[in-house]
């Protein structure tokens, strides 16, 4: 079965070999307070910065999921109010999770065909946006993120890049907080998230000194200063991340490939009568998650037949469950697999 699910998704073919190597090297029972772990943490961060073009001045922390990052931001960075821009289910969930911890959270929803409505929100101390909305296959133009920051110099800008980090070039200096879990574009098994913080965020952490939780940022940062973590981390996940980063080309190269493959999918469905892309506005279409719409009964037939032929398509998400399916356009997918899926889908166009 070839998984085109946009998370958890196809892992790199090398992963089983890396796991074996990890076992042989004693990584699976490595003590997280050891010198070896500290070196692993340090090297992984250096590689991430090099391969993904993360500024040297930014701090990298590990968490267990993107959902955990939502909570960390709510508890440790939001003083009074966060504002949440979203056009889909993940951005909305982030807003809802935050609202439980910080009730003043403010939603700013926008239509999936539209650009993020850049505006000043004077009352917000953290502005949250989802760069790639995995539920509907839209993305926020990376140039708009800098505009959000420019209009809101008083606030920290936090970006959920769970389904785009490691797939496209991200403008890290345009925002203060970036995070992603690794089961999407990184091509790794779930259970690890990367949280990237700007120097301005670190200053805010030092002032706020929120220390009421095991995963309070002030505590995580204090531990990270010694290349350690707040709890026993997913050491295998960190090791696998290091291995995968090592084998990868630069993010510019990967990003080019992602864009080309996206364009090929857009052309493919552009020529179809029965299956079309959910999002008509090319300017807001995701390059990493291709969302296809059509008659629900017809889509159900395609999905069922696809499964029989060995292709796992992504179900529609939330309200879009029955009238869409999704195709991951993540780097771990191979050209020949995409070709095979296209050959199968061609009979349904
Ligand atoms: C998958 C996803 C999440 C949730 O990730 P977890 O690691 O399961 O918490 C959050 N945001 C976006 C945009 C996602 O695609």
């Amino acid at each position: 079965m070839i998984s085109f699910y946009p998370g958890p998704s196809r892992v790199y073919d090398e992963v089983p070999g890396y796991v074996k190597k990890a076992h042989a090297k004693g990584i699976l029972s490595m003590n997280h307070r050891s010198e070896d772990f500290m070196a692993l943490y340090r090297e992984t961060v250096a590689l991430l910065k090099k391969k993904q073009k993360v500024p040297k001045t930014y701090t990298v922390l590990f968490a267990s999921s993107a959902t955990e990052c939502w909570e960390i931001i709510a508890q440790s960075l939001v003083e009074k109010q966060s504002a949440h821009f979203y056009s889909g289910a993940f951005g909305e969930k982030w807003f809802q999770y935050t609202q439980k911890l910080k009730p003043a959270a403010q939603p700013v929803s926008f239509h999936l065909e539209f650009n993020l409505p850049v505006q000043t929100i004077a009352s917000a101390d953290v502005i949250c946006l989802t760069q790639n909305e995995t539920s509907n296959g839209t993305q926020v133009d990376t140039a708009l993120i800098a505009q959000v920051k420019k209009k809101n110099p008083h606030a920290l800008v936090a970006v959920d890049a769970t389904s785009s980090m490691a797939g496209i070039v991200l403008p890290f200096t345009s925002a203060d907080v970036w995070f992603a879990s690794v089961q999407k574009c990184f091509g790794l098994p779930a259970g690890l998230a990367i949280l990237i913080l700007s120097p301005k965020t670190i200053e805010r952490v030092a002032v706020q000194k929120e220390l009421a939780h095991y995963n309070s940022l002030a505590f995580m940062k204090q531990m990270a200063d010694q290349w350690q973590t707040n709890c026993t981390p997913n050491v295998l996940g960190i090791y696998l991340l290091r291995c995968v980063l090592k084998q990868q080309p630069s993010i510019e190269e990967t990003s080019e490939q992602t864009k080309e493959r996206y364009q090929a999918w857009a052309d493919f469905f552009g020529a179809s009568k029965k299956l079309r892309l959910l999002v008509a506005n090319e300017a807001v279409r995701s390059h990493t998650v291709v969302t296809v719409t059509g008659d629900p009964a017809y889509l159900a037939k395609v999905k069922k037949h696809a499964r029989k032929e060995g292709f796992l398509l992504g179900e529609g998400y939330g309200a879009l469950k029955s009238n869409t399916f999704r195709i991951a356009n993540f780097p771990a997918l191979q050209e020949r697999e995409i070709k095979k899926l296209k050959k199968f889908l061609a009979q349904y166009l």
Side-chain angles (χ1 to χ4, degrees):
M1 185 74 84
I2 309 167
S3 176
F4 282 89
Y5 223 99
S9 40
R10 188 198 192 292
V11 299
Y12 282 103
D13 286 336
E14 290 85 349
V15 167
Y18 294 149
V19 174
K20 264 195 156 167
K21 213 165 135 190
H23 181 232
K25 289 170 89 173
I27 306 273
L28 299 185
S29 29
M30 178 186 260
N31 187 305
H32 62 297
R33 303 285 172 233
S34 67
E35 289 289 334
D36 285 347
F37 175 77
M38 290 158 72
L40 172 64
Y41 189 165
R42 198 174 55 236
E43 285 163 29
T44 308
V45 169
L47 258 175
L48 183 81
K49 287 185 173 178
K50 184 173 160 219
K51 289 290 176 85
Q52 299 299 322
K53 299 280 149 46
V54 176
K56 282 211 169 74
T57 54
Y58 279 41
T59 300
V60 178
L61 304 175
F62 292 118
S64 61
S65 67
T67 305
E68 187 189 359
C69 295
W70 291 344
E71 282 218 354
I72 290 172
I73 293 163
Q75 72 200 11
S76 291
L77 290 175
V78 178
E79 282 176 271
K80 291 192 182 74
Q81 187 185 62
S82 55
H84 299 256
F85 288 94
Y86 60 83
S87 74
F90 281 101
E92 185 177 19
K93 262 195 191 174
W94 186 3
F95 158 67
Q96 289 164 344
Y97 276 58
T98 304
Q99 198 182 29
K100 289 185 205 176
L101 293 172
K102 301 283 161 94
Q106 188 187 334
V108 187
S109 68
F110 57 99
H111 193 272
L112 62 83
E113 293 285 356
F114 294 167
N115 271 323
L116 181 146
V118 178
Q119 57 194 270
T120 302
I121 303 180
S123 55
D125 42 72
V126 181
I127 304 229
C128 303
L129 62 98
T130 305
Q131 194 279 321
N132 198 74
E133 179 50 74
T134 323
S135 68
N136 58 22
T138 58
Q139 68 169 329
V140 174
D141 184 335
T142 50
L144 284 182
I145 299 175
Q147 289 184 32
V148 171
K149 193 163 159 62
K150 211 169 153 196
K151 289 238 176 190
N152 295 278
H154 58 285
L156 294 174
V157 175
V159 183
D160 181 341
T162 301
S163 54
S164 55
M165 192 186 290
I168 63 166
V169 172
L170 294 172
F172 287 105
T173 53
S174 300
D176 299 292
V177 180
W178 295 84
F179 58 90
S181 37
V182 299
Q183 73 273 20
K184 313 257 165 111
C185 288
F186 282 95
L188 286 164
L192 181 71
I194 297 161
L195 178 58
I196 301 173
L197 309 174
S198 72
K200 184 177 163 186
T201 309
I202 296 299
E203 279 170 31
R204 178 86 78 87
V205 168
V207 173
Q208 265 174 254
K209 281 206 187 68
E210 187 281 306
L211 280 162
H213 308 270
Y214 84 98
N215 55 4
S216 293
L217 269 185
F219 182 44
M220 290 177 78
K221 164 72 171 112
Q222 185 194 323
M223 296 306 288
D225 283 342
Q226 306 148 62
W227 302 109
Q228 292 202 15
T229 50
N230 55 322
C231 60
T232 316
N234 182 349
V235 180
L236 174 62
I238 297 169
Y239 175 76
L240 295 178
L241 173 63
R242 189 181 69 171
C243 293
V244 159
L245 285 169
K246 250 188 203 166
Q247 84 182 27
Q248 270 172 352
S250 74
I251 186 61
E252 285 91 347
E253 204 176 306
T254 305
S255 198
E256 273 309 304
Q257 181 190 273
T258 301
K259 241 164 118 176
E260 279 167 23
R261 286 178 172 184
Y262 151 74
Q263 195 53 56
W265 275 120
D267 295 344
F268 182 80
F269 288 111
S272 169
K273 286 203 178 65
K274 296 187 186 128
L275 299 173
R276 58 193 164 76
L277 294 184
L278 174 71
V279 180
N281 180 3
E282 283 180 38
V284 301
R285 258 191 222 146
S286 165
H287 289 166
T288 52
V289 180
V290 177
T291 305
V292 180
T293 189
D295 171 63
Y298 192 68
L299 294 187
K301 202 167 110 184
V302 175
K303 277 187 270 191
K304 201 172 154 197
H305 189 195
R307 231 178 215 279
K308 246 173 133 176
E309 294 296 314
F311 304 104
L312 182 63
L313 298 175
E315 288 289 342
Y317 194 92
L320 298 167
K321 188 166 174 62
S322 62
N323 68 332
T324 61
F325 64 74
R326 295 171 299 156
I327 300 171
N329 183 27
F330 295 164
L333 281 154
Q334 304 214 340
E335 209 58 55
R336 61 179 158 78
E337 295 170 331
I338 297 169
K339 229 169 139 178
K340 249 174 110 177
L341 178 59
K342 279 187 183 153
K343 200 172 157 199
F344 164 79
L345 287 172
Q347 63 190 306
Y348 284 104
L349 291 181

